[in-house]
Amino acid sequence: MESVKNSRKLVMFSCCFLLINIYVLVGAQDGAHKYVWQTKLLNDLLANYHKGVPPSLNGSPGPAVTVDLRFSLVNFDFIDEANEVATVYGWFYQAWNDPRLMWDPASYNGTDVMKINANDVWLPDIEMFNTGTVVQNLDSDVMVYSTGMVHRVPSVQITFICRMDFKFFPYDNQVCQLKFGSWHYHADVIILTQSIDDIDLSSHERSRNFELTNTSAKRNVMKYECCPEKYIDITYTLHLKRVSSAYSVKLVLPAALTGFLILATFLLPPASYEKITLCGLIFIALLLQLIYLHDIVPASGDTILGDYFAFALFIDFFATIIAAVSYNVHVRSSPKMQQHSSIMMKEMEGDDRDLRMKMPQNQSKIGFLRYLDFVCFVIFGIVFIVGMAIILGRRG
């Protein structure tokens, strides 16, 4: 009885194993069968296909190809601000209809979509028109449907020139434009459309240096002097605001503190030689800050902060000259003052007319220098406050 049970178990196990093998073989044959049909479909589609010719029926010129263009932004940043070079990472969604790639799914075992290498089919020559642009397409496949619809979503890395306005640096706002269109074909061959009126930001990653405040997309139909035909382009605009917290600590705060030190030099006694030393140290500090600003901003960039540094250097230079003259007057007048003081002590009734003439003259010089220091303190203080108010007001 026990042997009968074991025999039944063995038979059941053998049947299960056989069914599994049959299922695997059938699935493999079905997969191979689908692969054979896709291979046949690909060969039939590309047999008389010319990828250099825009889509047309039966090889004859057809209507203009409508290409739907959408842009999804992933990341944006300036890689070289001194040369105004920016880079963009994202995806381009392109869709168009190519009647030469239509087929009947029933004739190919129900196959209704095929992935084809982009180098084997016609592609719209969409290029970026910005100066100095380098576009790298990082995907080379297209999805083709039985209706003839072709979808392509390449990931792109775009390096281009974006003209910047550094006037209110580091609290500046920048506007960059990316202009795309067909490089060779006019509107009678390729019609660019946009199914979305803006940039797709669903995958956007915030930049470390700039915050994206606004975006827009505009379709333009242009007629150039060179050609009678019209050309279509789509221009994407990025509005950016600099993340200025780091520059506030490294540049703006030192500039403000250095400005206060310049004001302090006008409060020191005119005859103090320490005033000359302080003015020299401030001059060096301003030069170092100006060099740091020059490394960030291009030579053609005009900034309020740069004008502030230039004005501060001039005021500090002026303060140094005044300090040197004041100290020189003090040193030259001191021996005479001591000599006349001794004469006063010894000859109370002598002719001290020269003494009374020279002492007021020396005191009047020192008084004039003090008055000059006060005037410079007031003028530079007003300019300093107004300048910082403009810069900080721009920040808000």
Side-chain angles (χ1 to χ4, degrees):
M1 194 68 181
E2 186 68 26
S3 60
V4 174
K5 291 182 178 180
N6 292 335
S7 299
R8 289 178 179 176
K9 291 181 179 179
L10 181 61
V11 172
M12 292 176 62
F13 177 78
S14 300
C15 292
C16 292
F17 182 75
L18 181 61
L19 290 174
I20 292 173
N21 286 335
I22 292 174
Y23 177 78
V24 172
L25 290 174
V26 171
Q29 288 179 359
D30 184 63
H33 188 64
K34 289 182 178 180
Y35 176 77
V36 170
W37 282 109
Q38 289 183 356
T39 303
K40 184 178 184 304
L41 173 60
L42 184 62
N43 292 332
D44 291 345
L45 290 176
L46 302 180
N48 297 313
Y49 190 91
H50 299 282
K51 65 179 182 178
V53 180
S56 59
L57 291 172
N58 299 323
S60 60
V65 183
T66 299
V67 179
D68 183 32
L69 188 64
R70 284 183 280 171
F71 179 55
S72 178
L73 178 65
V74 176
N75 184 266
F76 175 92
D77 207 350
F78 283 94
I79 57 177
D80 187 358
E81 287 192 42
N83 293 313
E84 302 174 308
V85 179
T87 184
V88 168
Y89 298 91
W91 294 289
F92 261 119
Y93 173 81
Q94 304 172 27
W96 66 94
N97 191 275
D98 192 340
R100 297 170 296 177
L101 298 178
M102 296 175 60
W103 73 87
D104 182 9
S107 302
Y108 296 93
N109 195 36
T111 302
D112 60 352
V113 61
M114 277 281 295
K115 184 172 74 170
I116 303 178
N117 191 287
N119 295 323
D120 295 332
V121 298
W122 177 86
L123 300 176
D125 59 335
I126 306 299
E127 298 288 345
M128 186 173 176
F129 294 162
N130 296 51
T131 305
T133 302
V134 177
V135 181
Q136 298 181 6
N137 292 318
L138 307 178
D139 194 353
S140 59
D141 290 330
V142 297
M143 299 300 295
V144 181
Y145 295 85
S146 59
T147 59
M149 202 67 188
V150 183
H151 289 183
R152 187 182 184 218
V153 190
S155 56
V156 293
Q157 176 183 342
I158 306 172
T159 303
F160 66 105
I161 301 296
C162 176
R163 300 303 177 187
M164 305 179 68
D165 182 7
F166 290 94
K167 183 177 181 180
F168 294 100
F169 177 87
Y171 306 113
D172 51 324
N173 297 325
Q174 304 298 337
V175 178
C176 292
Q177 290 187 333
L178 296 87
K179 183 178 179 181
F180 294 93
S182 175
W183 189 256
H184 295 99
Y185 298 112
H186 48 76
D188 294 336
V189 180
I190 292 181
I191 299 177
L192 280 182
T193 62
Q194 50 177 356
S195 55
I196 298 179
D197 294 333
D198 205 345
I199 299 175
D200 180 14
L201 299 177
S202 58
S203 302
H204 174 62
E205 299 176 358
R206 183 176 178 179
S207 170
R208 293 178 300 174
N209 300 321
F210 285 89
E211 177 184 355
L212 190 63
T213 58
N214 191 23
T215 61
S216 64
K218 183 180 179 182
R219 181 177 181 269
N220 305 299
V221 180
M222 304 292 295
K223 188 174 182 180
Y224 300 98
E225 295 181 358
C226 66
C227 312
E229 300 86 2
K230 295 181 180 180
Y231 290 82
I232 302 175
D233 68 80
I234 296 179
T235 302
Y236 298 100
T237 304
L238 307 177
H239 296 265
L240 307 159
K241 181 180 180 180
R242 186 185 299 275
V243 179
S244 56
S245 55
Y247 292 106
S248 297
V249 176
K250 295 188 294 185
L251 195 60
V252 177
L253 181 60
L257 296 178
T258 307
F260 280 118
L261 287 178
I262 297 176
L263 291 176
T265 60
F266 295 112
L267 300 178
L268 292 175
S272 174
Y273 71 89
E274 290 85 357
K275 185 175 181 178
I276 303 176
T277 304
L278 179 59
C279 289
L281 293 176
I282 294 175
F283 195 87
I284 295 174
L286 288 171
L287 281 178
L288 293 177
Q289 295 175 39
L290 190 59
I291 292 173
Y292 176 66
L293 178 65
H294 177 73
D295 291 338
I296 303 173
V297 179
S300 58
D302 183 19
T303 64
I304 293 179
L305 195 58
D307 295 339
Y308 165 80
F309 281 131
F311 181 77
L313 283 170
F314 172 77
I315 293 298
D316 186 70
F317 174 78
F318 186 65
T320 305
I321 298 298
I322 294 177
V325 172
S326 300
Y327 186 72
N328 185 47
V329 170
H330 175 71
V331 171
R332 289 178 177 273
S333 62
S334 293
K336 296 180 180 180
M337 293 177 66
Q338 293 176 2
Q339 179 181 0
H340 289 298
S341 297
S342 62
I343 293 175
M344 249 176 152
M345 296 294 295
K346 292 181 180 179
E347 302 179 2
M348 297 297 296
E349 297 180 356
D351 186 7
D352 57 349
R353 182 172 51 188
D354 293 337
L355 176 64
R356 284 179 293 184
M357 291 178 61
K358 292 180 180 179
M359 288 182 66
Q361 288 178 357
N362 296 329
Q363 291 298 325
S364 63
K365 292 179 180 179
I366 298 298
F368 172 75
L369 294 175
R370 287 178 179 174
Y371 175 75
L372 187 60
D373 278 349
F374 176 76
V375 172
C376 293
F377 175 83
V378 173
I379 293 176
F380 182 70
I382 294 175
V383 174
F384 173 76
I385 294 174
V386 171
M388 293 307 297
I390 292 174
I391 295 175
L392 296 178
R394 179 67 178 184
R395 179 184 181 183

